[in-house]
């Protein structure tokens, strides 16, 4: 079972910390969003266990997703949590695939929320070719994990012949996909 363990105290301090005050429970990493210019590439700002140690044992995390026009958050999964996405502004096409390979999609407008069930492959796409979009995601785990489908398939060293056979294509096509992923920031 993958998930956050139950804790037997109010909160958990890091091993190297014995004194705590209000600043331990404060995350300031999202301040960079205030007055920031519109995004030029897809970007995620996270407040998960890695960035915010006070979340240890609390079974929560959040992320802000910044979508420039026509940007995509590629298919991915969160193996340890569902994701609840709230669209602050803009429009997004979102979707997930269930375990029977059925695709569920929706076009969201500002103020809409959408839930991606735990562990299922999902995506978000800014369908607007001129305007950016911003969404806030909430997770029921301090460490939801993210497994990018393109990266896990094409950048982890799986043999090109295996990928070509799996995708019913040729090695040259697989190598072209890999080269395209290598160019991305």
């Amino acid at each position: 079972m993958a998930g956050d363990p139950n804790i037997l105290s109010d909160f958990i301090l890091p091993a190297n910390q014995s004194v705590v005050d209000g600043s331990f429970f404060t995350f300031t990493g999202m301040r960079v969003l205030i007055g920031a210019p519109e995004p030029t590439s897809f970007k995620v700002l996270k407040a998960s266990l890695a960035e915010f140690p006070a979340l240890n044992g609390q079974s929560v995390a959040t992320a802000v997703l910044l979508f420039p026009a026509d940007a995509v958050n590629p298919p991915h999964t969160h193996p340890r949590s569902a994701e609840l996405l709230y669209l602050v502004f803009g429009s997004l096409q979102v979707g997930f695939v269930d375990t029977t390979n059925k695709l569920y999609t929706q076009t969201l407008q500002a103020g809409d929320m959408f839930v991606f069930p735990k562990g299922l492959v999902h995506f978000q796409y800014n369908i607007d070719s001129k305007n950016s979009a911003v969404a806030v995601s909430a997770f029921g785990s301090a460490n939801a994990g993210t497994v990018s489908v393109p990266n896990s398939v094409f950048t982890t060293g799986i043999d090109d012949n295996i990928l070509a056979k799996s995708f019913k294509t040729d090695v040259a096509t697989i190598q072209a996909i890999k080269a395209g992923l290598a160019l991305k920031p």
Side-chain angles (χ1 to χ4, degrees):
M1 298 195 53
D4 292 0
N6 287 327
I7 60 174
L8 301 175
S9 59
D10 295 334
F11 51 88
I12 299 172
L13 289 175
N16 62 349
Q17 191 168 352
S18 60
V19 178
V20 66
D21 62 17
S23 64
F24 176 72
F25 301 99
T26 304
F27 181 73
T28 62
M30 300 296 179
R31 289 180 182 175
V32 298
L33 295 170
I34 308 303
E38 292 204 16
T40 57
S41 62
F42 174 71
K43 185 175 184 178
V44 178
L45 295 171
K46 296 187 312 179
S48 65
L49 181 59
E51 299 82 18
F52 192 11
L55 296 181
N56 192 8
Q58 301 304 315
S59 299
V60 295
T62 190
V64 176
L65 294 79
L66 306 169
F67 294 87
D70 197 41
V72 66
N73 186 3
H76 62 281
T77 69
H78 303 291
R80 293 180 290 276
S81 178
E83 176 180 357
L84 182 61
L85 182 129
Y86 171 73
L87 186 58
V88 177
F89 68 83
S91 59
L92 291 177
Q93 181 183 18
V94 300
F96 69 87
V97 179
D98 74 7
T99 58
T100 68
N101 290 325
K102 182 175 179 181
L103 174 65
Y104 296 85
T105 64
Q106 185 68 33
T107 300
L108 304 180
Q109 302 302 318
D112 292 348
M113 294 178 84
F114 192 86
V115 65
F116 301 101
K118 179 179 179 178
L120 297 183
V121 173
H122 61 280
F123 66 90
Q124 300 99 21
Y125 171 57
N126 182 357
I127 58 177
D128 192 322
S129 63
K130 294 184 169 74
N131 299 299
S132 61
V134 172
V136 175
S137 288
F139 300 94
S141 170
N143 184 10
T146 300
V147 179
S148 167
V149 173
N151 288 340
S152 65
V153 172
F154 294 105
T155 68
T156 57
I158 298 173
D159 184 85
D160 290 351
N161 290 306
I162 293 170
L163 292 174
K165 289 180 187 293
S166 299
F167 287 98
K168 299 182 180 1
T169 189
D170 55 57
V171 169
T173 301
I174 297 300
Q175 290 173 343
I177 293 169
K178 286 181 171 184
L181 284 172
L183 298 174
K184 302 290 180 200

